Amino acid sequence: MIKFFLMVNKQGQTRLSRYYEHVEINKRTMLEAEVIKKCLSRSKDQCSFIEYKDFKLVYRQYAALFVVVGINETENEMAVYELIHNFVEVLDKYFSRVSELDVSFSVSEFHL
Amino acid sequence: MSDVVERTLSVLPGLLGQHEPGDGPGRAGGPGRVSATSRLGSLIRSITALTSKHEEEKLIQQELTSLKATVSAPTTTLRLMKECMVRLIYCEMLGYESSFGYIHAIKLAQQGNLLEKRVGYLAVSLFLHENHELLLLLVNTVVKDLQSTNLVEVCMALTVVSQIFPREMIPAVLPLIEDKLQHSKEIIRRKAVQALYKFYLIAPNQVQHIHDKFRKALCDRDAGVMAASLHIYLQMIKENSSGYKDLTGSFVTILKQVVGGKLPIDFNYHSVPAPWLQIQLLRILGLLGKDDPRTSELMYDVLDESLRRAEINHNITYAILFECVQTIYTIHPKSELLEKAAKCIGKFVLSPKINLKYLGLKALTYVIQQDPNLALQHQMTIIECLDHPDPIIKRETLELLYRITNGQNVTVIVQKMLDYLKESKEEYAVINLAGKIAELAEKYVPDNEWFIQTMNAVFSVGGDIMHPDIPNNFLRLLAEGFDDGKEDDQLRMYAVQSYLVLLEEEDALYPQKFLQVMSWVLGEYSSLVTDTDPEVILPKLHSLLRKTYVTFETKVWIMAAVTKIASRTSCSKTVDNLIEDFSNSLDTCMRQYAFELKHLCEDKALMKSLLPFDASCKDMVVDASLSFLDGFVAEGLGRGAAPYKPHHQRQEEKLSQEKALNFEPYGLSFASSVSSSGVTGRQSPTGLSFGSDTSGNSAEKGHKETNTLKLEGVRKLWGKEGYLPKKENKVGKENEPQTVSCGGLLAGQVGDPPASLSDQVASLSEEFKEKQQLASTLFIGLGSNAGVSLMGKADTATQKFKRKSKINETQNSEEASDFQNSAALDFGPLIDTVPINMEDCEGSIHTRLRKASLCSSDTVEDNLAFETPQSLKKSGLDDRLSDSRLSQSSLFADSNIEIFQPSPSAQCERASKTPLVPSLPEELEELTHSEVVELCQSDALSLYSCKVWTDDSLLLTVFVSNKTSSALHAVNLVFEEAEHFQILESLTYRFPVIEAQSVEHCQKCVWMDGVCTQGILSGSINYQSEMETCLEFSVTLSLLDFIRPMEMTTEDFGKLWLSLSNDVKQNIKMSSSQDSLSAALNTLQQKLKLHVVDVIGNEGILACQLLPSVPCLLHCRTHSGMLALWFRSPCSALPDGLLYQCQKVMEES
């Protein structure tokens, strides 16, 4: 199960967030901050999966933008890893060369 | 879930075209799109320009205030509203609550044109959660949109339903969504399936009747619809794999087609056909093929094919391979496939790509239990991973090691885990790891010293966040000990000594839990260490008590320890000091303890008897009825106090009082107050005095009435340990695991590393040698000669500590006392039958007695039941049935005993010689029963079963026919414990002999414990022919097998109806053939065995009971082709289950 889907830039600004399980608003900000801190602390040659609390994070970096997905035990990490890429490819097609600005300026289009 | 997203994404471009013809700016690109959302744009730009968090907060607050004004202004156009919503979404995303906008989002979804509606729906699904109250307001909009002729509107409604929908309102939209399954557009069908999946997740009972429609969706010509239905199937198969075995063929075919590239090209991702779909299918196959050779057979080919196809080097194919490997190792094994899968894992593990390595380790962890040799092949890689710079890899490796731990390598592995534990800071990791270490340490303990040291490390690192079971288990272990008293004492002594050393250090900060463990052990066992004076220990504890970081809870533990130690010394200055210190403590609890201690010190004899040495395992008799308070209660009553009423009685009374004003919207003319005679009966003083009689009875068993307060205090400490298992028969001590603490060299020889490796050793550097030594210590016992039996879980011989639960014993004594109690009540007509029962059959004595006492308590009116706590507990919900039960209890009284009577031996005589085709014995033949079905067979035996529905139980009759020409001896029939079912008497049955070519049978009474619509009772039969043979079988039992009509009058029905709390309502469509109420009632009566109590106009009331005696009432009403069902029952799951059955039979007829 996917628990949440985040797009956060290196400065820690959330660009897109979608929760598939209800999380309270103030907890969301905390969670996002912790998640991005975790992702930033990892170097290129470390693997893209992190354990966080009782679930796993799968992240992928596109330039300064991180896409992070929170999943539980039953999910296949690699499949989710590629799913992120699929998502980004679709965005790329839709916006014809997607960039961080696109993401931030068209929030409503992104949540389809 | 991933697949949902994938599919959404794969059709996204096309969809957007449909969706947003008016949303030009979004597709126009460049500066155009920024200007369109200019307000949002400027907001984002100004936020980006800010430097501090504080400023951002100020800005957003400003923005929110202005938004609030705008949205609530009546002049705001929908267009502007939409724009405001987008900004609200943005604010909310940044973590600023904007709850004022929620209601406007719903309004927007309701009123706007397509585009505005979309934003409205989007905002709703982002803002609200499942249980939000505003969600109810959305239902109407959704219903309207579902009926719309505009495809896009329908689509949007379905999307929002599949994202978020209130559980209670499902019936309102369910028929509409069901219709959409036949829609001509595939996108609508797909979304409808997704919506149903959502319903299945939140309320599985409500969609149970459309299972065959799911099957249709699975065979849909559009791949997207099919893929969506897989989610439902994965979920359903997870819950009950045996019900869907017949679909295996279809899944295999689908996977074949997908792998073969038969899907439309749109589904390809990097030229891999529908990878996420494949993963989903592989998972389903894995679940289906688990432990089932026949089903597994079907999928070998396609798995092989998948492995072969997935050879392109791309991440996504690795993901598929991983899933394949998992499936191959889950299903019934086939050596060829296993080999290939193992090769695959090897490739992963050896890969330089870190993500793949991770995946390989994960796969290895999964398969290691089946195939320990695989770990040997990769041991060097595993060692490398253990020192990997990436903590995640390290963590995964430890997980792997945890699985291969055995008695010989436990020291090394636990050491590695402890090292990691000390480094890691994350709470969850610590909790998890501490638990695992404690488990391993307990399971494979090589020697006492090591065990205590390890546990000390766990306690001090794990601290207070670890699972509370760990210290509890540890203490229990110390208290129970093992076989050998001397060994136990050594362990305890060692523990005491090590804690004394730890407490030496003045400023060390220990976690509270650790301190609690220490103080308990010191209190219990410090006297074992003879060379230490209590005067050394007591000051230490005293100083702890004065420390500020010690919490109150811990202080209580310490205080208890002090009390225990003090009871074993004559006179101690420290104790006196301590009493003085705390006698005027601000904490009342501590003061209480200090006073108690003081008084106890004055009376040493009492103190000794109260705190016996090493008695933590002894059972403590607690007077649960609080009989010593009876005098006090009687006095209170004498002074005119109101008698105590149990909680539910109070509720009932309240309910009946309310009813005078508050009429339920209920058509029938029921008497609306609860029978007053019942209530007054309960309050009568005779009832009370009787209550004290019986409880006085139990008090005679000797409780320390004088010291209740103290007792309570001690109990707090000893907790559940009063009920703790005692040492019983323990596993043989002889095969104690050999210690490997001497480490690498010795173990290296024992461990028998593969030959190829030892060849290499010569040419390797020192460092490598070290690693290899480590490897051989780690993998000792995994070698082929050491055998699989030494592996992890299978290894029971080395388990030093084995616990045997004493629960059974306690239960027995409980029941025995029940018996005493009920025997003491020598009134009630049934009591005469009790002794007879007893002679009948030892095994079922308690069950029957329970019933007997239950019935007798009925007959002496409820006053008895309400005043004696024991019988109150037993009667449970039956009490609420009050009057209506008289008839029922007489039913019990008669049939119950007759049915149970056949004791095993009698049965054998009766079923002497019958023909090979089994048929029921005559006395059962007359009762309603099912067909005789074959369960399983072997060369020698055939097993048949038949369900006989008697009035008060389900009699499962099992026939065993001997097909050979010689007699079979000692045939044992064993049922497994089932979650939902209870087999009365024993789970086993033994046929001493079955003659050649003959049939024997046995009967088992089955009750349903937990309500479920269908369940499986499985078991096995073993017999001795040339060799020991065992046959497994399973019987499917449905809820209906346990439903019996319940006869009652309309008046009783009314009373009972009001007293029941759980209700479920549902409307179901009536088919044309049964459009009248009487026809519908007829169906229910015949198919579900419901009793029709009364029919008034277009309403009817029915009653039934779930065996043994859970009633369920049903009220139905017809209006315009619909049948409104309203269930009530004391059991919450029963109405749901019955509703499902009703839907089924109504649909069938």
Side-chain angles (χ1 to χ4, degrees):
Chain A
M1 284 286 272
I2 295 180
K3 285 169 181 266
F4 58 78
F5 191 101
L6 290 178
M7 279 180 142
V8 194
N9 70 4
K10 267 190 173 165
Q11 284 84 48
Q13 287 163 320
T14 313
R15 289 308 185 197
L16 184 81
S17 70
R18 184 83 168 92
Y19 290 83
Y20 298 95
E21 262 170 25
H22 182 65
V23 183
E24 292 204 7
I25 284 203
N26 39 12
K27 287 203 185 126
R28 286 184 190 191
T29 16
M30 251 165 50
L31 183 129
E32 280 159 26
E34 271 179 54
V35 163
I36 190 67
K37 220 191 290 163
K38 282 229 156 205
C39 292
L40 283 173
S41 71
R42 298 182 62 82
S43 64
K44 275 248 157 62
D45 51 335
Q46 292 184 312
C47 77
S48 325
F49 318 121
I50 321 174
E51 281 189 9
Y52 175 73
K53 295 200 174 161
D54 50 346
F55 51 92
K56 289 216 172 89
L57 304 174
V58 178
Y59 70 91
R60 216 167 164 150
Q61 191 178 358
Y62 294 93
L65 196 65
F66 280 93
V67 182
V68 191
V69 183
I71 56 171
N72 70 0
E73 283 295 302
T74 59
E75 202 67 51
N76 179 335
E77 286 92 347
M78 192 56 99
V80 175
Y81 185 68
E82 286 308 299
L83 184 74
I84 296 175
H85 192 64
N86 190 5
F87 179 68
V88 174
E89 276 180 10
V90 172
L91 292 183
D92 206 43
K93 222 181 208 168
Y94 178 55
F95 288 99
S96 53
R97 289 211 62 71
V98 71
S99 71
E100 190 188 333
L101 281 180
D102 288 319
V103 179
S104 50
F105 282 115
S106 25
V107 177
S108 73
E109 277 91 47
F110 263 74
H111 291 286
L112 186 87
Chain B
M1 183 64 83
S2 58
D3 227 42
V4 179
V5 186
E6 176 216 359
R7 260 174 294 101
T8 320
L9 295 181
S10 55
V11 288
L12 201 104
L15 250 188
L16 286 172
Q18 285 178 30
H19 251 260
E20 290 155 62
D23 197 24
R27 294 176 67 83
R33 64 182 160 208
V34 178
S35 68
T37 48
S38 59
R39 292 283 203 94
L40 177 70
S42 59
L43 174 66
I44 295 171
R45 251 180 256 119
S46 47
I47 289 176
T48 322
L50 296 175
T51 45
S52 76
K53 185 86 190 154
H54 182 67
E55 282 174 63
E56 180 193 304
E57 202 174 317
K58 231 166 74 187
L59 186 82
I60 299 267
Q61 288 308 347
Q62 227 175 347
E63 180 74 21
L64 283 178
T65 337
S66 80
L67 275 173
K68 195 172 184 175
T70 325
V71 291
S72 39
T75 52
T76 312
T77 61
L78 288 173
R79 195 186 176 77
L80 185 58
M81 188 70 98
K82 174 193 136 210
E83 207 260 329
C84 289
M85 274 308 138
V86 177
R87 270 187 287 162
L88 274 178
I89 293 175
Y90 191 80
C91 292
E92 188 119 307
M93 190 180 82
L94 292 181
Y96 299 91
E97 189 165 336
S98 50
S99 49
F100 61 87
Y102 295 175
I103 185 77
H104 296 283
I106 292 177
K107 263 201 221 156
L108 191 65
Q110 208 159 25
Q111 298 163 348
N113 64 22
L114 276 186
L115 204 51
E116 290 147 8
K117 214 179 212 359
R118 193 182 78 87
V119 174
Y121 271 136
L122 172 67
V124 168
S125 67
L126 287 175
F127 288 157
L128 304 185
H129 58 90
E130 212 92 279
N131 302 317
H132 204 285
E133 49 197 357
L134 285 179
L135 211 52
L136 289 177
L137 297 177
L138 192 71
V139 175
N140 212 2
T141 319
V142 170
V143 172
K144 207 181 77 196
D145 282 341
L146 280 177
Q147 287 162 333
S148 154
T149 48
N150 188 332
L151 272 188
V152 183
E153 276 182 359
V154 179
C155 249
M156 286 193 289
L158 284 173
T159 311
V160 85
V161 168
S162 61
Q163 278 166 342
I164 187 169
F165 202 73
R167 186 175 180 273
E168 316 81 65
M169 296 310 286
I170 291 177
V173 293
L174 194 55
L176 286 171
I177 293 181
E178 272 179 62
D179 289 344
K180 293 285 178 285
L181 286 176
Q182 271 101 42
H183 202 278
S184 57
K185 264 269 189 276
E186 60 276 351
I187 182 163
I188 303 275
R189 289 202 302 273
R190 201 187 71 214
K191 286 196 183 262
V193 173
Q194 278 172 7
L196 289 175
Y197 172 56
K198 174 77 179 177
F199 290 165
Y200 182 79
L201 287 181
I202 56 180
N205 283 329
Q206 310 236 18
V207 288
Q208 258 165 335
H209 61 285
I210 35 182
H211 279 191
D212 48 332
K213 289 190 184 157
F214 293 151
R215 286 190 186 223
K216 226 178 262 167
L218 187 67
C219 313
D220 199 283
R221 58 185 183 283
D222 182 67
V225 184
M226 180 270 293
S229 72
L230 286 184
H231 289 272
I232 303 181
Y233 277 108
L234 180 62
Q235 197 65 30
M236 292 196 296
I237 291 171
K238 239 184 226 164
E239 281 153 26
N240 170 21
S241 67
S242 60
Y244 301 92
K245 298 271 188 204
D246 56 321
L247 282 175
T248 316
S250 321
F251 291 125
V252 168
T253 325
I254 295 173
L255 184 57
K256 249 185 206 144
Q257 286 173 353
V258 176
V259 174
K262 300 266 161 52
L263 287 192
I265 200 99
D266 301 346
F267 284 87
N268 283 11
Y269 171 76
H270 291 262
S271 69
V272 180
W276 291 279
L277 189 69
Q278 285 191 41
I279 288 172
Q280 191 92 355
L281 280 164
L282 285 169
R283 272 187 205 155
I284 292 181
L285 290 183
L287 288 172
L288 282 173
K290 196 174 182 193
D291 305 325
D292 185 349
R294 228 187 298 167
T295 318
S296 301
E297 199 103 344
L298 296 171
M299 45 186 94
Y300 289 146
D301 276 348
V302 75
L303 286 175
D304 193 39
E305 174 94 9
S306 303
L307 276 183
R308 226 157 13 84
R309 289 267 179 172
E311 262 169 7
I312 322 159
N313 280 343
H314 189 274
N315 274 339
I316 193 66
T317 58
Y318 297 135
I320 297 175
L321 278 181
F322 173 76
E323 212 64 48
C324 245
V325 168
Q326 252 190 346
T327 307
I328 289 172
Y329 273 92
T330 315
I331 64 174
H332 191 82
K334 186 188 181 196
S335 55
E336 264 172 63
L337 280 178
L338 289 184
E339 227 168 79
K340 283 186 186 165
K343 222 187 273 170
C344 219
I345 296 179
K347 250 198 302 188
F348 282 174
V349 176
L350 295 174
S351 161
K353 282 190 200 156
I354 188 87
N355 284 343
L356 274 188
K357 214 178 203 78
Y358 175 88
L359 218 58
L361 283 173
K362 204 177 156 188
L364 208 51
T365 314
Y366 186 80
V367 305
I368 208 82
Q369 273 147 328
Q370 278 106 322
D371 190 3
N373 282 322
L374 217 51
L376 281 178
Q377 280 170 27
H378 299 295
Q379 49 179 330
M380 289 322 287
T381 328
I382 295 173
I383 300 298
E384 267 160 33
C385 290
L386 211 48
D387 297 322
H388 203 274
D390 190 343
I392 305 298
I393 297 282
K394 239 176 169 172
R395 179 83 186 71
E396 202 57 39
T397 317
L398 285 178
E399 182 72 39
L400 178 89
L401 290 180
Y402 165 71
R403 301 279 173 100
I404 59 166
T405 311
N406 59 31
Q408 295 167 32
N409 58 17
V410 62
T411 16
V412 193
I413 290 182
V414 167
Q415 191 50 47
K416 286 278 166 200
M417 286 168 105
L418 276 177
D419 289 346
Y420 185 85
L421 185 66
K422 276 169 196 152
E423 280 168 30
S424 83
K425 282 168 215 77
E426 222 195 291
E427 202 174 298
Y428 282 84
V430 172
I431 294 175
N432 189 319
L433 214 54
K436 282 184 177 153
I437 296 176
E439 189 197 322
L440 290 180
E442 222 174 83
K443 211 161 154 191
Y444 302 111
V445 57
D447 65 308
N448 290 336
E449 222 166 292
W450 179 86
F451 179 60
I452 298 289
Q453 290 298 355
T454 309
M455 290 311 282
N456 284 354
V458 171
F459 286 136
S460 45
V461 181
D464 292 325
I465 52 172
M466 68 186 169
H467 204 271
D469 276 356
I470 300 173
N472 288 350
N473 280 344
F474 174 69
L475 290 185
R476 195 159 70 174
L477 215 77
L478 278 185
E480 287 159 21
F482 348 99
D483 254 358
D484 185 357
K486 216 171 116 196
E487 188 87 1
D488 294 349
D489 285 348
Q490 261 175 8
L491 180 66
R492 290 166 189 164
M493 259 159 68
Y494 189 79
V496 171
Q497 276 160 352
S498 76
Y499 295 152
L500 285 177
V501 173
L502 284 175
L503 287 178
E504 271 317 277
E505 283 177 56
E506 272 297 309
D507 343 292
L509 286 174
Y510 297 111
Q512 304 297 328
K513 288 242 175 75
F514 194 21
L515 284 175
Q516 290 167 7
V517 168
M518 283 192 214
S519 51
W520 189 87
V521 172
L522 289 179
E524 283 287 320
Y525 300 117
S526 63
S527 55
L528 283 176
V529 186
T530 39
D531 56 337
T532 317
D533 191 23
E535 279 306 306
V536 183
I537 307 169
L538 283 171
K540 278 181 189 152
L541 292 176
H542 189 192
S543 69
L544 268 184
L545 278 176
R546 269 180 293 192
K547 294 254 166 67
T548 42
Y549 74 89
V550 179
T551 62
F552 283 122
E553 197 198 343
T554 314
K555 279 185 182 167
V556 173
W557 284 74
I558 299 173
M559 206 60 184
V562 170
T563 317
K564 279 182 243 170
I565 296 173
S567 73
R568 274 168 236 133
T569 57
S570 46
C571 171
S572 160
K573 246 190 129 189
T574 328
V575 175
D576 294 338
N577 277 341
L578 199 139
I579 293 172
E580 209 171 292
D581 269 4
F582 289 98
S583 292
N584 42 17
S585 157
L586 280 178
D587 181 23
T588 44
C589 199
M590 291 306 287
R591 210 155 61 208
Q592 166 81 12
Y593 271 103
F595 275 119
E596 278 167 12
L597 183 56
K598 191 173 164 196
H599 286 292
L600 282 173
C601 281
E602 283 159 14
D603 187 354
K604 281 279 169 188
L606 175 66
M607 193 168 185
K608 281 241 162 72
S609 68
L610 189 64
L611 300 164
F613 173 67
D614 193 14
S616 56
C617 294
K618 305 268 166 9
D619 273 338
M620 218 185 297
V621 192
V622 177
D623 184 6
S625 64
L626 300 178
S627 56
F628 50 87
L629 287 175
D630 283 349
F632 178 75
V633 173
E635 200 181 302
L637 280 170
R639 277 191 268 114
Y644 173 74
K645 290 180 207 157
H647 179 66
H648 59 98
Q649 191 190 341
R650 267 176 285 162
Q651 246 181 355
E652 208 173 290
E653 278 175 23
K654 211 169 125 202
L655 206 75
S656 66
Q657 275 162 14
E658 273 174 11
K659 283 287 134 52
L661 294 170
N662 181 16
F663 282 101
E664 293 241 358
Y666 194 72
L668 292 175
S669 55
F670 290 140
S672 54
S673 75
V674 177
S675 116
S676 56
S677 70
V679 176
T680 48
R682 285 170 205 142
Q683 289 168 339
S684 72
T686 46
L688 181 92
S689 62
F690 177 77
S692 358
D693 270 352
T694 39
S695 50
N697 212 6
S698 62
E700 278 164 28
K701 276 178 268 161
H703 307 305
K704 301 158 194 159
E705 283 166 53
T706 43
N707 253 306
T708 3
L709 263 181
K710 185 61 211 163
L711 240 181
E712 224 115 84
V714 179
R715 211 191 308 148
K716 188 172 180 183
L717 237 190
W718 291 355
K720 288 184 215 127
E721 279 148 45
Y723 289 99
L724 282 187
K726 232 198 253 170
K727 42 186 162 177
E728 275 172 52
N729 42 349
K730 294 282 169 356
V731 260
K733 206 76 157 80
E734 314 84 89
N735 39 14
E736 223 189 285
Q738 62 188 106
T739 44
V740 253
S741 47
C742 47
L745 274 173
L746 170 70
Q749 291 156 3
V750 186
D752 186 29
S756 60
L757 274 175
S758 47
D759 287 341
Q760 291 169 12
V761 176
S763 63
L764 288 172
S765 65
E766 273 296 271
E767 191 195 356
F768 193 80
K769 261 186 203 160
E770 248 172 56
K771 276 191 177 174
Q772 197 157 48
Q773 276 183 2
L774 179 61
S776 49
T777 9
L778 277 174
F779 298 98
I780 186 168
L782 289 179
S784 44
N785 53 349
V788 188
S789 67
L790 271 169
M791 277 301 302
K793 310 255 144 117
D795 182 9
T796 43
T798 46
Q799 277 194 27
K800 198 169 167 193
F801 303 144
K802 185 137 191 179
R803 300 205 191 94
K804 276 269 160 72
S805 164
K806 220 175 60 181
I807 292 167
N808 281 337
E809 220 172 275
T810 357
Q811 265 179 358
N812 283 345
S813 63
E814 233 176 56
E815 280 174 19
S817 66
D818 279 351
F819 170 50
Q820 278 178 10
N821 276 345
S822 54
L825 333 162
D826 60 357
F827 45 90
L830 270 174
I831 207 70
D832 290 344
T833 58
V834 171
I836 304 167
N837 282 348
M838 209 165 80
E839 286 157 25
D840 262 336
C841 175
E842 278 277 309
S844 63
I845 227 180
H846 298 304
T847 351
R848 258 182 265 158
L849 275 179
R850 243 164 225 264
K851 272 206 185 156
S853 64
L854 208 156
C855 298
S856 62
S857 62
D858 288 341
T859 40
V860 294
E861 293 294 337
D862 296 23
N863 50 8
L864 164 83
F866 276 89
E867 299 299 336
T868 60
Q870 277 99 340
S871 50
L872 183 115
K873 201 168 61 191
K874 270 181 282 150
S875 338
L877 25 79
D878 292 57
D879 287 335
R880 282 188 248 168
L881 306 187
S882 51
D883 298 5
S884 69
R885 227 173 7 153
L886 265 176
S887 59
Q888 199 191 324
S889 62
S890 64
L891 187 143
F892 266 140
D894 301 337
S895 51
N896 156 24
I897 289 150
E898 253 169 65
I899 299 294
F900 285 139
Q901 215 132 28
S903 67
S905 60
Q907 278 167 21
C908 294
E909 283 164 32
R910 216 187 305 130
S912 49
K913 292 257 164 151
T914 25
L916 206 56
V917 182
S919 64
L920 283 169
E922 277 168 34
E923 70 272 19
L924 293 176
E925 191 69 45
E926 290 159 16
L927 298 164
T928 47
H929 59 84
S930 70
E931 306 257 296
V932 177
V933 200
E934 185 180 302
L935 291 177
C936 64
Q937 59 172 327
S938 71
D939 298 337
L941 282 182
S942 284
L943 219 59
Y944 304 90
S945 81
C946 173
K947 300 176 193 168
V948 180
W949 296 293
T950 63
D951 281 344
D952 65 342
S953 71
L954 174 72
L955 214 54
L956 189 66
T957 313
V958 180
F959 301 93
V960 185
S961 83
N962 181 357
K963 296 193 288 189
T964 61
S965 52
S966 57
L968 281 172
H969 291 276
V971 179
N972 281 317
L973 186 67
V974 184
F975 284 97
E976 280 166 29
E977 289 269 6
E979 192 186 346
H980 299 288
F981 305 108
Q982 180 197 356
I983 298 182
L984 304 183
E985 299 164 43
S986 73
L987 287 172
T988 55
Y989 187 79
R990 186 182 170 86
F991 301 96
V993 62
I994 301 179
E995 296 297 336
Q997 299 291 326
S998 73
V999 181
E1000 297 277 338
H1001 77 279
C1002 78
Q1003 296 157 5
K1004 291 280 169 197
C1005 275
V1006 187
W1007 279 356
M1008 190 174 247
D1009 265 351
V1011 177
C1012 65
T1013 53
Q1014 208 167 55
I1016 289 171
L1017 191 64
S1018 51
S1020 60
I1021 184 158
N1022 56 52
Y1023 58 97
Q1024 198 86 39
S1025 51
E1026 281 108 63
M1027 49 191 203
E1028 185 85 23
T1029 323
C1030 186
L1031 266 180
E1032 290 187 358
F1033 64 88
S1034 61
V1035 189
T1036 311
L1037 302 176
S1038 91
L1039 179 65
L1040 280 187
D1041 290 332
F1042 301 92
I1043 296 290
R1044 298 287 179 276
M1046 184 165 164
E1047 303 207 0
M1048 55 167 61
T1049 63
T1050 312
E1051 206 170 85
D1052 287 336
F1053 185 95
K1055 281 174 202 156
L1056 193 54
W1057 180 270
L1058 291 178
S1059 67
L1060 298 178
S1061 50
N1062 296 301
D1063 62 356
V1064 167
K1065 294 181 204 175
Q1066 172 94 341
N1067 292 339
I1068 51 180
K1069 253 189 219 160
M1070 289 200 291
S1071 60
S1072 51
S1073 65
Q1074 21 125 321
D1075 50 352
S1076 73
L1077 178 69
S1078 60
L1081 291 185
N1082 228 348
T1083 318
L1084 293 178
Q1085 186 174 17
Q1086 280 167 5
K1087 300 238 168 102
L1088 298 184
K1089 291 180 239 161
L1090 304 180
H1091 171 67
V1092 179
V1093 180
D1094 210 347
V1095 182
I1096 305 164
N1098 65 344
E1099 297 177 40
I1101 50 177
L1102 302 99
C1104 68
Q1105 55 174 331
L1106 174 70
L1107 293 172
S1109 60
V1110 185
C1112 184
L1113 305 181
L1114 166 62
H1115 169 238
C1116 27
R1117 200 159 68 92
T1118 48
H1119 60 89
S1120 57
M1122 298 288 269
L1123 184 66
L1125 299 173
W1126 189 1
F1127 290 91
R1128 275 198 177 183
S1129 166
C1131 163
S1132 59
L1134 186 52
D1136 274 338
L1138 270 179
L1139 174 63
Y1140 168 54
Q1141 300 291 356
C1142 282
Q1143 281 171 338
K1144 224 167 77 177
V1145 297
M1146 294 304 277
E1147 226 160 71
E1148 278 166 12
S1149 61

